Amino acid sequence: YFADTVNYMLFDGEQIVLPDELKDLDTTELTIVDDEVNASILIQKYRDVLKQAIIRVGKQAIYAIIGIEGQTDIHYALRVKESLYDAIRYAKQVEKAAALHKKKSEKLSGAEFLSGFGKNDKVLPVITVTVYFGTKEWDGPLSLHDMFDEAIGEDVLSLIPDYKVRLLEPTKITDWSRFKSDIGILYQLISVWTEQNPLVYSG
């Protein structure tokens, strides 16, 4: 079901992520950051589902971390919520690399020592997909730029990356053949129920 949802959202239903190549990861997102006065702040969040996956495109096999979040209600700050999840997971990878260098007693250069992350160290891509199970039509922002004041012009917007929400909204699905498992049936039932209860959906 996880792979099917990811393949629908990211690859138009093509079987790029395979179920037997998924690995469960700890859904606890935890990191420690320093504020302006160097006081340690603990940030802890919990994802719904998080897995390590292999994305096979052509002859490439790319490891990535993919999370799926479920929303029963509209979340008007979803893009910020997802950005925090992703940022913590990247920070966690950096911390893991630093711990490995320390365990191996590896000598890092001055610049590398500052972060504990070596020049040749790499992190895995982190991708988040949100599945919306609510009955009201989603009217929340679907990108970071959508959260800004409309008065902000393109000259400023062009300076800021526009992180987008990958939202699966069953009522917007038109091609059910792109699903290869029973999860498509669940999404279709949600869509049909919503269409038969328009007052609930539009409310």
Side-chain angles (χ1 to χ4, degrees):
Y1 295 162
F2 183 97
D4 205 14
T5 298
V6 168
N7 286 326
Y8 171 83
M9 283 298 298
L10 304 182
F11 307 109
D12 293 323
E14 188 176 350
Q15 301 303 288
I16 300 297
V17 173
L18 303 179
D20 58 357
E21 293 181 339
L22 295 171
K23 178 183 176 183
D24 290 331
L25 297 177
D26 185 358
T27 57
T28 304
E29 300 290 28
L30 177 68
T31 190
I32 298 176
V33 297
D34 293 330
D35 66 5
E36 296 82 7
V37 293
N38 295 319
S40 294
I41 300 175
L42 176 68
I43 299 178
Q44 185 172 13
K45 299 290 182 181
Y46 296 95
R47 283 185 179 265
D48 291 337
V49 186
L50 191 68
K51 296 180 184 290
Q52 180 176 294
I54 299 176
I55 298 176
R56 297 188 179 279
V57 180
K59 295 182 179 180
Q60 287 187 316
I62 303 166
Y63 284 91
I65 296 172
I66 304 177
I68 292 183
E69 300 298 314
Q71 285 291 143
T72 55
D73 297 297
I74 299 170
H75 194 306
Y76 291 104
L78 181 61
R79 181 58 267 178
V80 173
K81 174 186 174 183
E82 289 185 351
S83 294
L84 182 58
Y85 283 165
D86 294 349
I88 294 176
R89 179 54 54 167
Y90 282 122
K92 200 169 185 177
Q93 293 184 68
V94 171
E95 292 165 2
K96 184 176 180 180
L100 186 60
H101 287 306
K102 186 176 181 180
K103 182 178 180 180
K104 293 182 177 180
S105 299
E106 295 176 344
K107 188 175 181 180
L108 299 177
S109 68
E112 294 173 321
F113 182 79
L114 184 63
S115 63
F117 195 76
K119 180 180 178 179
N120 296 317
D121 287 336
K122 306 295 180 185
V123 295
L124 299 181
V126 181
I127 302 169
T128 298
V129 171
T130 296
V131 180
Y132 176 54
F133 297 102
T135 56
K136 294 184 178 180
E137 183 175 9
W138 185 277
D139 62 356
L142 291 177
S143 75
L144 186 60
H145 283 194
D146 288 344
M147 297 180 68
F148 296 152
D149 191 294
E150 294 179 357
I152 298 178
E154 286 297 328
D155 53 340
V156 175
L157 290 178
S158 64
L159 304 175
I160 307 167
D162 189 16
Y163 301 108
K164 298 183 181 298
V165 172
R166 295 180 180 86
L167 184 73
L168 190 157
E169 192 172 359
T171 55
K172 300 295 176 63
I173 297 173
T174 57
D175 184 3
W176 299 101
S177 67
R178 288 159 59 184
F179 291 99
K180 309 303 179 185
S181 73
D182 292 344
I183 196 66
I185 297 176
L186 172 62
Y187 295 147
Q188 192 167 16
L189 288 173
I190 294 173
S191 178
V192 170
W193 186 92
T194 302
E195 289 175 357
Q196 292 176 349
N197 295 270
L199 293 180
V200 176
Y201 185 61
S202 62

